[in-house]
Each structure stands twice: as structure tokens, then as C-alpha cells.
Amino acid sequence: MSKYFLKMILVFTILFYLLSAFFFVHAYAIDNKKTENTASDLTYADMEAQFANNVFITKDNEFKVIVEKDIELENLIADCKKQGLRFGLALGGGSARGLAHVGVILTLEAYHIPIDIIAGTSIGSVIGSLYASGATIQELEETALSIKKSKTLFMIDPTFPHSGLISGDRIEKMLNKFALKDKTFDDLDIPFAAVATEIENGAEVVITHGKLIDAVRASISIPGIFTPVKYQDYYLVDGGLVNPVPANVVQAMGADIIIAVNLSKINPFVPAIKFDKDNVLSGELEKSTDTKETEKTSLFKKHIAKVKSSFEGPNLFEVINQAIDIMEANITEHALEGTDIVIVPFGIKDIKTLDFDEAELLIKGGIMATLVNIPRIKEVLKEKLKEKE
């Protein structure tokens, strides 16, 4: 009994630190939020100015995308349909950044670009499954805008820390409430696949059969945070570990034209940081100077500084998620091989794991990034049709 009591104290201590660190870091991050696009030198503000006449939020809190009739694109799409070419959409993982997927889908709909096949990893499996199950774009928007941080934290249901800190039962209930309850892959309007990872051998698991909620729940299970999902005889976790943007999955499902949404915020080509003798010496000198200054402060101030320093840097959620982001960034390039169009939403760089309050910014970032890629989409359609000649 005493061992069990001590373990429970440990669980709640970890969760208290986790949530405390989250709020401390998030409060600082709000004032330092940037809106740079990870894929180009154009900023979020640049895009807002460029598309000021295209993107609106109505009084009913709905996004509206106004685009000019593009006869050339409509004809290309019609020709692709005649040739039997199918459009595939690969939705990448990225926690809260995944709300940008809603903006991408909204814009594709505005241009009447069909979505014949969908594959999703992690948050991409959430948005993809909802859309494939028949949810309208308005329903997707409502869902995205309704997921506020207060509700997100309420969904955290601690469990005995054997294979994860959070059981995920509340998140499962939320997903069932939105659209997935009792649905199977056979019920979907659009062919869909969710990508997960088998935790024991690291195999990529592409799920296309069975209960939809089980597949999505497995795909979003961040290792160390959520408990793995037992699926048949396997234990599954977040698909981003092996395939952060499942472009190859939609291709295997029969897509001829592949549009991928990459939510990676890490640049895999960052130069290495070297610590040589000079670095160490200068660091020691600065430290000794700081020590002299610290000696002049009161004991109370030292204590406050120590407490504040314990909350500096990323919290446990961010450490695990950032580690996954770093790993994913280095395999995303490989995952995107064979992709025809890669869309990187604007404004995702500084979005943290649970920044669901940034839904409007993210949806708009997805809209604007897709608008930028319309000329590229037309080029790809011409190339595909030429191959058919």
C-alpha cells in the first residue's frame, strides 16, 4: 500500500511540474510569437497583405476564401478526371500546427480541386479522418476553433506512468463526439489511411481497416506522453516517428497527383555548433563574473532566481515533442520524395505543442500557403497530362 501511495505522489508531482512549466513557458511565448514561414523569406504579415482581398473571417467566425474563377485550372482538372488521374492529399504531423490542414482543405475546395485519397500522420490523421468521414469544411473549422487550450488541458487524463503519462481516454471521447463514433473505414466517403509506428520493432503501420477511432488514437500517441494503443497484437504510437508526411502512402493507395502538407518547423540543415577551447574559457570567465554579481544579491533573491531558473527552457511536453520534431525533420525530406506539390503553412515556426488557441492564425496560414501554390499545382497538372499523351 505504501509503495502504491508513493507512486501516486510521484505521478501527480510529475503532472504538476509538467503543467506548471507549460503555463510559465507559454506566458513568455505569447509575447514573443513570430509568424515567419519556415519555407521562405516571406513573412506571415507579407502574405496577409498580399491576400487581404482573398481571406476573410465572417461575423459567424467562419473563414471565407474568395478566389477568381480560374478557367485554365478548371479545364486542367476536368482533363485529369477524363484521364482517370486521382488526387491524393498527405497530411503531416505536428500537434497544434495541424490545424493549418483545415486552411489547406478549405482552399482546395475553393478552387474545386478534388481530394480522392487521404493519408494522415498524427494530427494529420485527425483532420484527414474527419474530412474523409464526411465532415464539411465548416464543421472542420468549428472543431478547430472550439479546441481552446483550457479544453485541451481538461482532456489530459493522468494514468499510472507505466508506458505514458496520459491515458488518452478523454481525447478519444472528444474525437467520437466530433464525428468518429462507431465509424469504420468502410463508412468513409473518401479512401483514408492513418499512419502509426509499432513500438517494439519500429515498423511503419498503415491502417486502412477496422474502427476509425482506434487508428486515429494510435496515430496521435506521442511516445512518453500518451500510452501506446494496443491494435490487434501490436502496440502502436505516433506515426511521425517513421513517416511524418505520408506521401508514399497516398501514392500506394493509387494517387497520381500528390499534394503534401509539411508541418515541420525544424531546419534539418542547421550547421553544427562547436565548443572549442576558446568557447569554454570565455564561458568560464562570464560565469565567474556573474558569480561576483550574484554574491551581492540577497539570499531571498537567490532563491527566487533559482526557482525561476528551474522553469527556464522547454517543459516536458515540449522536450518530447521537440525531440520528435528534430527527428522528423531529418526524415521528412525522404518522406517527401515523389511528391508533386509540398505546402508549408505560414506561421507555424513558433507554434508549440498545445497552442490550439492559435487556430485562426494556423488556418489562415494554411489558406495563404495553398494560394501561393496554385500556380505550381497548374504546372503539375500540365506535366501529368503531357505524360498521358
Side-chain angles (χ1 to χ4, degrees):
M1 178 65 73
S2 60
K3 286 184 178 180
Y4 178 78
F5 183 69
L6 288 173
K7 287 178 180 178
M8 289 306 296
I9 291 176
L10 176 62
V11 173
F12 286 106
T13 301
I14 291 172
L15 288 170
F16 174 77
Y17 176 80
L18 178 68
L19 294 176
S20 298
F22 171 77
F23 283 120
F24 186 89
V25 175
H26 179 69
Y28 173 80
I30 288 175
D31 293 330
N32 292 275
K33 185 78 69 181
K34 295 180 181 178
T35 51
E36 294 176 303
N37 184 353
T38 56
S40 87
D41 294 330
L42 293 171
T43 66
Y44 191 95
D46 291 333
M47 291 296 94
E48 281 192 304
Q50 181 173 338
F51 296 115
N53 296 322
N54 300 95
V55 186
F56 300 92
I57 300 178
T58 67
K59 292 180 180 179
D60 297 326
N61 223 21
E62 291 182 0
F63 279 88
K64 189 171 184 180
V65 179
I66 298 177
V67 296
E68 293 182 5
K69 191 175 179 65
D70 193 324
I71 300 298
E72 181 185 22
L73 179 57
E74 289 181 4
N75 289 336
L76 287 169
I77 293 170
D79 290 341
C80 285
K81 288 180 178 179
K82 288 177 184 177
Q83 293 292 337
L85 297 176
R86 304 174 76 194
F87 290 73
L89 182 62
L91 301 177
S95 300
R97 300 192 298 277
L99 297 183
H101 290 320
V102 177
V104 173
I105 294 172
L106 192 159
T107 311
L108 293 177
E109 277 198 355
Y111 276 101
H112 305 293
I113 297 172
I115 300 174
D116 301 310
I117 298 167
I118 304 173
T121 293
S122 198
I123 186 68
S125 74
V126 175
I127 303 299
S129 63
L130 290 171
Y131 190 69
S133 68
T136 65
I137 194 63
Q138 288 76 23
E139 289 171 333
L140 286 181
E141 288 176 31
E142 289 173 10
T143 300
L145 294 171
S146 70
I147 307 175
K148 298 299 182 183
K149 193 171 281 85
S150 57
K151 293 183 180 180
T152 306
L153 294 175
F154 175 74
M155 290 186 293
I156 294 177
D157 44 353
T159 186
F160 184 79
H162 173 59
S163 55
L165 294 173
I166 300 170
S167 72
D169 291 341
R170 290 181 182 173
I171 288 180
E172 189 171 324
K173 287 178 182 177
M174 178 199 72
L175 292 172
N176 278 327
K177 182 181 177 182
F178 285 149
L180 304 185
K181 187 175 182 180
D182 299 327
K183 288 194 175 181
T184 68
F185 283 84
D186 294 333
D187 298 322
L188 300 180
D189 297 335
I190 301 172
F192 169 74
V195 178
T197 304
E198 209 288 307
I199 194 61
E200 291 187 7
N201 58 27
E204 177 180 345
V205 180
V206 179
I207 308 173
T208 57
H209 294 88
K211 290 177 65 177
L212 200 57
I213 187 64
D214 292 342
V216 173
R217 172 68 179 82
S219 186
I220 65 172
S221 295
I222 302 171
I225 299 295
F226 291 100
T227 55
V229 172
K230 188 173 183 181
Y231 194 88
Q232 297 182 7
D233 295 327
Y234 303 99
Y235 286 93
L236 307 182
V237 294
D238 197 309
L241 296 176
V242 290
N243 196 347
V245 189
N248 64 320
V249 176
V250 291
Q251 185 176 38
M253 292 170 72
D256 304 290
I257 300 155
I258 302 170
I259 301 172
V261 186
N262 177 18
L263 301 177
S264 176
K265 64 176 184 176
I266 302 292
N267 180 1
F269 305 109
V270 174
I273 301 172
K274 296 181 180 179
F275 287 96
D276 54 24
K277 190 175 180 181
D278 293 333
N279 293 130
V280 174
L281 286 174
S282 62
E284 289 177 349
L285 181 62
E286 290 172 7
K287 186 176 179 181
S288 63
T289 304
D290 290 341
T291 303
K292 290 178 182 178
E293 292 294 326
T294 305
E295 288 173 354
K296 298 177 183 179
T297 62
S298 66
L299 185 63
F300 177 73
K301 287 184 177 180
K302 284 183 181 179
H303 181 69
I304 294 298
K306 186 176 181 180
V307 172
K308 286 180 69 176
S309 66
S310 69
F311 287 102
E312 288 178 356
N315 60 63
L316 181 57
F317 264 126
E318 296 301 335
V319 168
I320 294 174
N321 219 54
Q322 187 76 350
I324 293 173
D325 282 344
I326 292 169
M327 180 192 64
E328 287 182 358
N330 286 280
I331 61 175
T332 294
E333 185 179 12
H334 174 70
L336 291 173
E337 288 180 3
T339 303
D340 298 301
I341 301 105
V342 179
I343 296 173
V344 180
F346 288 91
I348 64 174
K349 184 177 179 181
D350 293 298
I351 297 296
K352 297 185 180 296
T353 308
L354 297 178
D355 281 354
F356 290 96
D357 279 354
E358 301 294 340
E360 289 185 3
L361 179 147
L362 289 162
I363 293 173
K364 200 170 184 180
I367 292 170
M368 296 187 296
T370 310
L371 289 171
V372 167
N373 276 280
I374 293 301
R376 171 60 186 158
I377 291 174
K378 290 198 283 189
E379 288 177 10
V380 168
L381 299 190
K382 291 174 184 177
E383 291 169 5
K384 296 290 181 178
L385 289 168
K386 192 171 183 180
E387 291 173 6
K388 282 285 186 179
E389 290 178 356

